[in-house]
Amino acid sequence: MKVIVTVVEKITSEAHIDIPDDLNQSAIKQHIVDRYNSGEMVTDMNIFQVDFESISARIVQEHSSSKSASIGEVRL
């Protein structure tokens, strides 16, 4: 029997970055988004928490004579 397991995770990451002191709230948001989009922040990211959103398994049973498969799905 073959089982295909799908895990959906929600990852919470934390980055410590330095930003200029004289920015307003809108400029701080834009600065953070720009750092993230440019890839500068990715290397600084440390994953400190992972929550499982869902885990599911598909059971695949192959029939040797017809090469077809019957599939059932189970939520864990």
Side-chain angles (χ1 to χ4, degrees):
M1 177 184 339
K2 183 176 188 175
V3 177
I4 301 169
V5 177
T6 303
V7 178
V8 178
E9 301 172 338
K10 181 175 105 177
I11 299 172
T12 303
S13 300
E14 187 174 277
H16 297 253
I17 61 172
D18 293 320
I19 57 173
D21 291 330
D22 59 342
L23 300 179
N24 63 26
Q25 185 175 356
S26 178
I28 291 170
K29 288 179 183 179
Q30 188 60 51
H31 184 79
I32 293 169
V33 169
D34 291 345
R35 291 274 308 266
Y36 180 80
N37 287 338
S38 70
E40 292 177 53
M41 207 166 32
V42 174
T43 57
D44 297 335
M45 292 287 215
N46 293 313
I47 297 172
F48 67 90
Q49 181 179 343
V50 177
D51 295 320
F52 293 102
E53 293 284 318
S54 67
I55 301 174
S56 63
R58 288 189 300 149
I59 301 166
V60 180
Q61 297 173 336
E62 293 186 23
H63 302 287
S64 58
S65 60
S66 64
K67 300 280 185 181
S68 64
S70 66
I71 300 172
E73 186 165 340
V74 178
R75 285 263 189 228
L76 305 174

